[in-house]
Every structure is written in C-alpha cells, then in structure tokens.
Amino acid sequence: MSSEESSTGANFIKTLIQEDLESGKHKTIVTRFPPEPNGYLHIGHAKAICLNFGLASDFNGRCHLRFDDTNPIKEEDEYVNAIREDVSWLGFDWGEHLYYTSSYFEQLYRYALQLIEKGKAYVCSLTTEQMREYRGTLTEPGRLSPYRDRTVEENRDLFGRMRAGEFPDGTHVLRAKIDMAAGNLNLRDPILYRILHASHHRTGDEWSIYPMYDFAHGQSDSIEAVTHSICTLEFEDHRPLYDWFIRELGIFAPRQIEFARLNLSYTVMSKRKLLQLVQEKYVSGWDDPRMPTLVGMRRRGYPAAAIRKFCERIGVGKGASWIDLAVLEDCVREELNETAPRAMAVIHPLKVVLTNYPQEQVEELTAAVHPQKPEMGSRTIYFSRQFYIERDDFMEEPSKKFFRLGPGREVRLRNAYIIRCDEVVKNAAGEIIELQCSADLATLGANPTDGRKVKGTIHWVSAPHALSIEILQYDRLFSVENPDKGEDYRQNLNPGSLQKIENVYAEASLVNALPGVPYQFERTGYFCVDPVDSCGSKPVFNRIVTLRDSWAKEQGK
RNA sequence: UGGGGCGUCGCCAAGCGGUAAGGCACCGGAUUUUGAUUCCGGCAUUCGCAGGUUCGAUUCCUGCCGCCCCAGCCA
C-alpha cells in the first residue's frame, strides 16, 4: 500500500483512540477482525477489515485475525481458508496473530465455572419455548426461571455433566444471573452455554457444549488484550453485558466502539441471502462476478486497491448509511485508469472495406499502452484493408451532435488514419452489412494539412488479424436500489445482470492477456480474462466496469 | 407508554462555542487521435423542528418530531 493511500480522513473512532493514547490509557493499540467462518467475505466485511487493520497501522499497533467459531453447525474450514485468502488479497497482514475463539474453549469454560462459583450463573432447564415466554417482551419484564436458585453445587455438577455429554441437545443451558426485569433484553439472564452434540471444524468431538457468541467474544478480546474492539451498531446493546462479564471475571477490559455497517445500493449484504443466491443458483457461486463478495469482485477484476480506496472514501459513522454503487465504480475506474493497459476490441462489429487501400497490404502500427504514461511502453497493432468498427459508431442519418461516422462523413481511426464513408452496403433485408470507405493516407500520426477538423475518433480491429473472444457483460445484480424493500428481495433480481456476447473481435495483442489482469478496451470499459470461464477455446473477458459515457448520457436526455 | 442509537447538500462525510472541508452524483466550460482521462467553474446564508444559555450555537441545555437496532439454545 502506498503511503498516500493510508487513511488520513478523520472519523470518530480515530478520535476516541487518539484520546486513549494521549491520556496514557494505552501505549499502543490492538484491534481485531473477527469473522465467523460460515460464509464468504463481502464488501461490508472489507469496510471492517480496512477499518481495523487501518487503525492498527495508523497508530502503530497491531490487528489480529480471529475466527469467532463458536457455532460448529454453521462453520467450516472451507470458509476459514477463503477468509484468510480474502484478507491477504485485500492487502492486510495479521502476521503471527491468527487466532480462533475455539482455542479459548477451555479458558471460557473456566470463566463460566467462576461465575457459577460466585453464584452469578446457573443451569436452566426450561425448554426453548418456555424460555421465550419467561423472557418477557420489549415492554414487559421477564419472569425468574424456576431453576434460578439452584445451588452452586448443583450448578457445578450439572454444568460438568453437560460438558461430559450426559444430556441431549436442548435439555439444559448455562445462564448468567443478572436481571430479568432489565430494559435491555441482553441482560435478562442470557444464555452462556448450550448443549450441542456437533463436531467442530477445529475441536472435533471434544466438546458437547459450546459458548454463545456473547459469552465468547468479549472475553476473547480480553484474552488477546485487544484495546479497541470495533464492531457494528447492533452490538451496542450487548456492550453492557460484555462489561458485566469483564467486571465479574475481573479481567482486562477492551473498549468496544460501534460503527454503522455498510449498505450498498443495488445489492444485498446478508450472508444468509448471499448463500441463498448461491444455493438457489441465481448466481454461479460465491465468486460469481456479480456478487458483492470479495471473491466475486476479485474474479470480476476489481483491484484490491480500489476496494481499499472505497472503504477509505465512504468514511465511518454511526448513522445507517446507504452508499451509492457509483462510489464503488468510481473507485474502480480511478484505479484502473491509472494501471490498465489499453487495447481495442469491437463488441458489435460492422465490417469496413477501405477501397483505396491495397488488397494485400498489412501495416504494423505502434500504439501507446497508456496515452498518459509513456513509461508503460507501446504495442503493435495491425492495419489492413478490411476491419471492423462498432455498429454504434456509424449512423446512417446522424444528428449534428453525433460526430462519428455517417455517409460522406469523416472520422479518425484510433491510432491510424482518418477515413471517409463513401458507401453503405445493405443486404436484401435492408440491414447495413458493410461500409465502403476511403482513407486519407496522409493522416497516420498527423492531422490533415488542409486544416479540416475531424472530431470523432473510433476504435477498430483489423479483420484478418482479429482475435475472436467472448465477453461477459456484468451489470448490477438487482434492478432496484434497495432489494430488501418489498416482500422478497429475489423478485428484484436484475434479469439483465449478465449478458454474454459471443463474437467480439479483439486486437491480436490480447492473446497474451493473463487471467485477472485488467485492460481498458478503449471507449468501452475495463475487462479482464475470467479465470474460470476461459477454459474453452475462446478467451472470455469479464466486463469489470464501463467507462464513463457522456454521449450515452446525452442520448438518454 | 421498555432499552440502545442516529438526524450537516440527492448519497456519504468533516466540523466539537467564533461564523459550513472533501468525495460521489449533478450542471456548465477548456484541452483531448478514448464523447475516456485531465483541467477549470457551479452546486447547504445553513446544519430535523421549536425554545433556552451566550456578544456569538451545527457545536451547550430543554422539549418535540423522524429514522434505525433489540424479544435466536445465530453471530
């Protein structure tokens, strides 16, 4: 990461940390990114990752990667591996600090025992339904569990037998004894441990009881000496509970600070829904280029730097925020404009024959890899009598504002000559199938000497040298800004989110394009070879993002 | 009629008692062999509303109003 990229923007979390440092509360800070390995990371997680790792680097502290794996039923190694890869790809390094909540199971168990000994936790044998009834509602206090007064000995014994696997799932839980009348529901004797005869991805069948997230998270932070525990808003209500545990246990107290999670327009961000899209085959997988997942974006061709830039740009706050997809796309364009080599490809071809150009002649022309960056070098493109241009670059009856090709009009061929359209060839159905043009042979790398102005420049690909490729044009996954508004978000899926175009002509140099490496197809957009779909005979390019198009905007008016 | 938060431009977001940064979007215009990029310029006399304190309030106080989260043996 470049230094200029490192976060400079102010936000309330930095301010709070700054205060803790200046007051001498801490000499250095420790943060952590604590994903549950039950799904793939998405752009919302990227915000948390950039925040936590960014804070650590801003203040010369460190950031841990900890898997909060307290629910064996949903968690898998596949996810921990994918998550590690995603975080690394995003550009962050946790060094030695890779942890798992499951590594703390024994310690957590001892913490629970401590609470039992203090009379602050008890084994409750209410059923799930009963417990719900006893919990009360938002406006009515709950009722005390009939098991609340079990003796310490009884609790110790029962809890030990829960661990030993003597009871079936759901028969008992360990609860904290706090306050059934608390306005904050999290304090109404929350469950600490539940019985789960399930195999854990790391501890196997060692345990038949597992701690609840609430009983594990804060203490895990404490064990790791996390100074600033950054989490999302919905955990604000849980903070008093975490503080209660820390106090009762007398252990190191991290400071929790909550921020608003990311919402991005035209997509959904819940893991449940993303999983559903995968399972119900609305997309090809977690890495479908339309998915807001990091694997999806990576495959699509979004550079990690663009995602980091995005996370920096959107800022951090406490108000529920909706970020316009345009912000992300702008970050991608900004990054790609700097780094992507240029090339030409004709997506909807229209054949052109240059009548005044020798039949067999082929010229090797030189074109800049990047017009603003000569240091990126140049490439060779072939020019011949027959080539393709974009159908949209020709209009039989052009308006005055259209400055591309039309009957009798002139246009510049990018990196080549100025040509004039002399004749339009149509088939029996009246469709335009070919243009007969003539070139001004004195305009290669030069403007006309007679002073005439040619405003338009269009791209082209020599017919005999064209590389046949396929293009996958990706668009937003949903057709409405907030897919969750309505009965079923799936009804808002954008039917045109994937458009396959099979006969695209690309300049020959693109044979060397490596999977995942972005190119700018001039005047069109950014594309890269899809690593998965390109296994066939033709290279398949994903459209990463279009170029800005003020002409299209003009047309739309 | 419980608890916890949040309200600064269409969307994000700085600001923390001294007279409204920045980005995206949008609108003009210049340069351009990408209608791209770049570049200039425009875009909140006003900070949810109403009072109060103060020489002075987006910043402090009070009261309203609006929005979000919480009743998983999920995280």
Side-chain angles (χ1 to χ4, degrees):
Chain A
M1 245 170 296
S2 67
S3 58
E4 79 173 81
E5 190 188 316
S6 83
S7 44
T8 49
N11 67 51
F12 74 102
I13 299 180
K14 285 185 190 174
T15 306
L16 295 176
I17 291 178
Q18 192 68 257
E19 287 167 7
D20 285 344
L21 255 14
E22 281 164 4
S23 73
K25 182 177 178 188
H26 300 293
K27 304 193 303 292
T28 178
I29 67 158
V30 180
T31 59
R32 102 270 91 121
F33 171 60
E36 183 193 12
N38 69 338
Y40 283 70
L41 262 26
H42 53 62
I43 185 77
H45 293 109
K47 178 180 181 182
I49 295 168
C50 292
L51 220 202
N52 278 293
F53 279 92
L55 251 12
S57 104
D58 286 350
F59 293 103
N60 278 306
R62 63 171 194 267
C63 181
H64 300 177
L65 173 61
R66 181 180 72 240
F67 289 96
D68 265 337
D69 52 355
T70 54
N71 185 355
I73 294 166
K74 294 184 176 175
E75 295 149 7
E76 296 172 21
D77 270 331
E78 175 198 349
Y79 297 127
V80 346
N81 294 330
I83 289 168
R84 293 174 60 162
E85 213 176 303
D86 282 346
V87 176
S88 297
W89 173 76
L90 243 197
F92 298 102
D93 181 11
W94 53 85
E96 311 288 282
H97 305 284
L98 174 65
Y99 304 109
Y100 295 85
T101 298
S102 54
S103 303
Y104 310 140
F105 280 172
E106 190 60 45
Q107 176 65 256
L108 259 7
Y109 179 78
R110 288 201 296 273
Y111 285 152
L113 245 22
Q114 274 183 51
L115 293 182
I116 289 174
E117 297 302 328
K118 287 182 75 178
K120 299 287 187 165
Y122 63 97
V123 172
C124 181
S125 309
L126 250 22
T127 64
T128 307
E129 300 71 48
Q130 289 173 321
M131 202 160 319
R132 185 164 49 238
E133 286 162 22
Y134 274 74
R135 191 156 33 228
T137 69
L138 292 179
T139 52
E140 302 156 10
R143 284 141 54 210
L144 304 185
S145 162
Y147 303 99
R148 207 174 195 252
D149 292 321
R150 289 218 252 230
T151 63
V152 170
E153 294 66 39
E154 206 177 346
N155 287 137
R156 191 194 299 130
D157 171 64
L158 251 17
F159 188 48
R161 290 164 63 194
M162 281 166 64
R163 174 177 185 170
E166 287 186 31
F167 310 112
D169 289 4
T171 50
H172 308 282
V173 294
L174 182 72
R175 292 226 257 169
K177 191 186 288 187
I178 308 181
D179 178 8
M180 287 307 291
N184 180 348
L185 297 263
N186 295 118
L187 266 17
R188 317 244 263 226
D189 289 11
I191 294 173
L192 271 28
Y193 270 90
R194 74 286 215 189
I195 298 171
L196 238 37
H197 291 274
S199 219
H200 185 277
H201 75 113
R202 292 190 73 243
T203 61
D205 296 319
E206 190 184 335
W207 293 88
S208 37
I209 53 172
Y210 291 91
M212 295 292 289
Y213 172 86
D214 276 349
F215 190 65
H217 191 86
Q219 287 94 302
S220 297
D221 282 344
S222 177
I223 290 168
E224 293 176 21
V226 168
T227 57
H228 299 272
S229 180
I230 316 298
C231 65
T232 45
L233 256 24
E234 65 270 31
F235 294 105
E236 209 148 18
D237 284 351
H238 298 236
R239 179 152 35 92
L241 175 59
Y242 302 161
D243 290 345
W244 186 89
F245 290 139
I246 296 292
R247 205 176 331 114
E248 293 298 334
L249 262 13
I251 57 179
F252 174 78
R255 196 227 285 209
Q256 174 169 303
I257 303 171
E258 307 84 6
F259 72 95
R261 60 170 0 124
L262 168 68
N263 290 297
L264 231 205
S265 60
Y266 300 103
T267 193
V268 293
M269 214 67 98
S270 98
K271 280 197 216 172
R272 200 202 100 234
K273 287 172 188 150
L274 295 178
L275 177 63
Q276 191 171 40
L277 290 175
V278 172
Q279 290 179 334
E280 296 175 5
K281 307 267 196 255
Y282 290 105
V283 295
S284 64
W286 285 98
D287 69 344
D288 186 297
R290 292 166 294 182
M291 291 281 272
T293 52
L294 296 183
V295 275
M297 291 182 171
R298 175 158 83 231
R299 177 171 164 196
R300 169 109 169 229
Y302 283 17
I307 294 174
R308 277 184 246 126
K309 187 183 306 231
F310 171 73
C311 291
E312 186 60 37
R313 196 173 281 187
I314 58 178
V316 185
K318 296 198 67 160
S321 64
W322 274 95
I323 307 292
D324 196 314
L325 218 211
V327 179
L328 212 209
E329 292 185 337
D330 184 70
C331 291
V332 173
R333 288 193 189 103
E334 196 174 299
E335 180 66 25
L336 258 19
N337 177 50
E338 288 295 312
T339 57
R342 314 281 126 128
M344 293 194 285
V346 175
I347 296 174
H348 300 287
L350 172 60
K351 192 162 115 186
V352 174
V353 176
L354 261 198
T355 53
N356 68 334
Y357 197 84
Q359 197 75 243
E360 301 302 328
Q361 186 171 319
V362 172
E363 277 181 280
E364 290 189 7
L365 306 179
T366 298
V369 168
H370 187 124
Q372 278 83 235
K373 300 192 171 205
E375 68 276 18
M376 285 177 76
S378 60
R379 65 190 203 270
T380 296
I381 51 178
Y382 299 96
F383 188 78
S384 68
R385 181 183 163 91
Q386 288 195 19
F387 51 87
Y388 299 104
I389 65 168
E390 211 69 64
R391 289 204 94 91
D392 281 354
D393 286 338
F394 175 80
M395 247 184 149
E396 200 168 10
E397 287 167 21
S399 62
K400 52 263 113 200
K401 289 178 109 177
F402 182 85
F403 40 82
R404 275 112 93 153
L405 207 52
R409 287 192 172 208
E410 281 191 307
V411 78
R412 167 127 239 154
L413 250 25
R414 177 77 169 148
N415 297 125
Y417 305 93
I418 286 174
I419 60 169
R420 186 182 59 236
C421 175
D422 303 315
E423 213 169 310
V424 178
V425 182
K426 296 181 180 177
N427 64 13
E431 297 162 331
I432 300 170
I433 53 167
E434 183 185 305
L435 261 26
Q436 303 253 320
C437 298
S438 50
D440 178 342
L441 274 353
T443 55
L444 182 62
N447 283 323
T449 46
D450 59 10
R452 67 190 205 278
K453 292 286 177 228
V454 174
K455 179 124 180 162
T457 298
I458 65 173
H459 57 281
W460 54 276
V461 168
S462 167
H465 305 92
L467 173 69
S468 186
I469 65 171
E470 194 172 299
I471 273 180
L472 297 176
Q473 290 191 336
Y474 291 108
D475 198 357
R476 45 192 62 162
L477 228 202
F478 293 89
S479 47
V480 298
E481 282 197 40
N482 181 1
D484 285 318
K485 208 159 57 186
E487 327 83 79
D488 186 348
Y489 74 101
R490 289 170 296 190
Q491 292 176 348
N492 295 319
L493 251 355
N494 174 9
S497 64
L498 169 57
Q499 203 183 338
K500 184 172 175 175
I501 301 176
E502 306 198 39
N503 293 305
V504 172
Y505 294 116
E507 69 174 62
S509 75
L510 252 12
V511 260
N512 300 316
L514 264 20
V517 177
Y519 285 83
Q520 184 195 98
F521 290 178
E522 288 188 299
R523 304 211 311 132
T524 306
Y526 294 96
F527 295 78
C528 71
V529 172
D530 185 287
V532 178
D533 289 328
S534 272
C535 44
S537 51
K538 268 189 197 177
V540 175
F541 282 76
N542 292 331
R543 183 172 74 190
I544 303 166
V545 65
T546 60
L547 246 34
R548 277 204 192 84
D549 190 347
S550 56
W551 169 241
K553 194 183 287 178
E554 178 78 19
Q555 297 286 282
K557 279 181 183 173

